[in-house]
Amino acid sequence: MLKFSYCNATDLNQALVQCRFAGSFGPLSSRRRSPRAVVSCSRSNLTPIQAVLSCQQQVRSDPVESELGSLADRLRLGGLTEDGLSYKEKFIIRCYEVGINKTATIETIANLLQEVGGNHAQNVGFSRDGFATSPTMRKLHLIWVTARMHIEVYKYPAWSDVIEIETWCQNEGRIGTRRDWILKDVATGEVIGRATSKWVMMNEDTRRLQKVSDDVKEEYLVFCPREPRLAFPEENNKSLKKISKLEDPVQYSRLGLMPRRADLDMNQHVNNVTYIGWVLESMPEEIIDTHELQTITLDYRRECQRDDVVDSLTGPELAEGSEIHGTNGSATAITREDDLDCHQFLHLLRLSSDGQEINRGRTEWRKKRT
């Protein structure tokens, strides 16, 4: 999934005087020049983003890929916003994306976030193989992996509802990037959800994390917001909350979960959406029957491979002012009176073999709507 870094408008304008490419859409920095292909692009009547995309279209060397991309772009209900710094796409909720509550599942929401992020990457000209990688990343066998995901859903869309998702990316420190989303109900214009994520770079061969180099960042500079833009601008919002580790003994568990072939992504590891399903497998039935998920935060600690066996553990998170009642590891969180309809849980996914931590999670649940 694609991420971007901040860019300087003056440097951008200088780089756009003459766009240089080596085979496919490449770095915008004038200090890395390629003698193989130089395409001059007039900036007359074009915004900086439009100028870059115009250059890119002129140098596409694969007519089959170009035609397929053009067809997909025409069929999608989405595209870059006017300033080119974010991407919006509309989706119809399908019958197979609806769960027991007769609304889209949280896995559906997460998959759509991933889809719109990938489409954003393709729309600005990065690789169409699903990895959303830049030329430098492909040369060095680098890929993006999820480090943290936070999703809040205020109202779940139902079957045949149409939603619009906007996404954009920004720099996130020295070792990663971030992608944010806003979800709206097209019929009402109401914001029905928000999400944010952090991503880090990994070497596809060694499976080791790697610092995001300046060379890679330069390939994304033109597509990032000029000023920080956050889906959760509120101070001390829940996306910033640290997740405490769930310790034994736990109240709820589901042991022996195994990845299916369909759970593996193109990077040959378990897709990040699969972890959401595993986390929910150990939720108590009485909560599932009476409540719906409103917030989920996941910290991804290590890769999960095809042959791994996973244990899913869940326990109540104690809010400030809570008390615990129970013995033998059975604990019940007693919250303040105004929070009786809201429940918080901590989650842990770990390897069955040696207990290594795979994923740490936190969820909040609200009473189901009548």
Side-chain angles (χ1 to χ4, degrees), residues 273-285:
V273 178
T274 300
Y275 294 91
I276 296 177
W278 284 349
V279 162
L280 300 183
E281 279 297 308
S282 57
M283 278 296 300
E285 285 294 332

Side-chain angles (χ1 to χ4, degrees), residues 245-283:
K245 184 178 180 181
L246 183 63
E247 302 289 352
D248 287 323
V250 297
Q251 191 168 353
Y252 309 102
S253 64
R254 179 71 182 273
L255 309 181
L257 298 171
M258 298 184 65
R260 304 170 303 164
R261 291 188 180 91
D263 294 328
L264 302 180
D265 62 18
M266 289 177 284
N267 294 330
Q268 297 301 310
H269 62 217
V270 174
N271 188 278
N272 63 74
V273 178
T274 300
Y275 294 91
I276 296 177
W278 284 349
V279 162
L280 300 183
E281 279 297 308
S282 57
M283 278 296 300

Side-chain angles (χ1 to χ4, degrees), residues 72-87:
D73 292 339
R74 290 198 301 269
L75 293 177
R76 287 190 186 117
L77 299 176
L80 292 174
T81 54
E82 185 174 353
D83 61 8
L85 302 179
S86 67
Y87 176 88

